[in-house]
Amino acid sequence: MELKNALDQHLLRVVAIQRNGYPKKYKGEDRLDYHQVLNQKVALVNESKQFMIVKDPVIATMTIASNSDKALIHAPQHASNVSAFLTVTLTKALLSQPILEYDKVKTHFEPLNLVDLLTKALEKPKELTEKELVNLALNTDSLQVLQKTDFAKLTADAFLLEVFLQSTPRVRLASLEASKFGKVEKCLSLFKPREQKLLKLAEPMVG
């Protein structure tokens, strides 16, 4: 859904900004015509309760966001409070920008599910995030479904392939720690700084 569609359907509301950065009073007032405030700083108010507004620098690069990394997500089943708002400079380019759908980033908010990850690996391998790849690789149950040729389709990263293939004692230990505690901490000293950064993406998984 593009921002323009959300405004036209009255799912979001454009509201003028006060000096303190908060939206002006809008309840009971006529709706502001967004065409009249192009290139101005305005608030996008979540009047329909169909959106999440979260502060996340990664998600902010994937959707409409403020300068402070508050990001807009279309999430009718998980929406923020009606008073939530996002401050943006409303341009023609922004109006045609799509709003991120919750399903694309649900792993940021919900426990990872092994069956979901494996399904995604088979259907849309290029869409797996770094976090999803790491957790899929650390879970040895993946080996019951995926084969060596499948791993090569998921990543060309030598370290991630090492983890997927469980080819060294250190990665087998990391997988064991992840399965026992949902994270990798105690054996991090066995890995280089970049590898440690990847392993720290491990988290408890369901399924």
Side-chain angles (χ1 to χ4, degrees), residues 93-112:
L94 195 71
L95 286 171
S96 61
Q97 186 173 334
I99 300 170
L100 185 67
E101 294 293 332
Y102 179 82
D103 283 348
K104 297 286 186 182
V105 287
K106 68 178 184 178
T107 55
H108 284 261
F109 307 103
E110 300 176 5
L112 292 170

Side-chain angles (χ1 to χ4, degrees), residues 138 172-184 186 204:
L138 285 168
R172 291 195 289 273
L173 179 57
S175 293
L176 177 65
E177 185 177 356
S179 69
K180 296 289 186 182
F181 304 106
K183 57 186 176 181
V184 179
K186 296 183 182 299

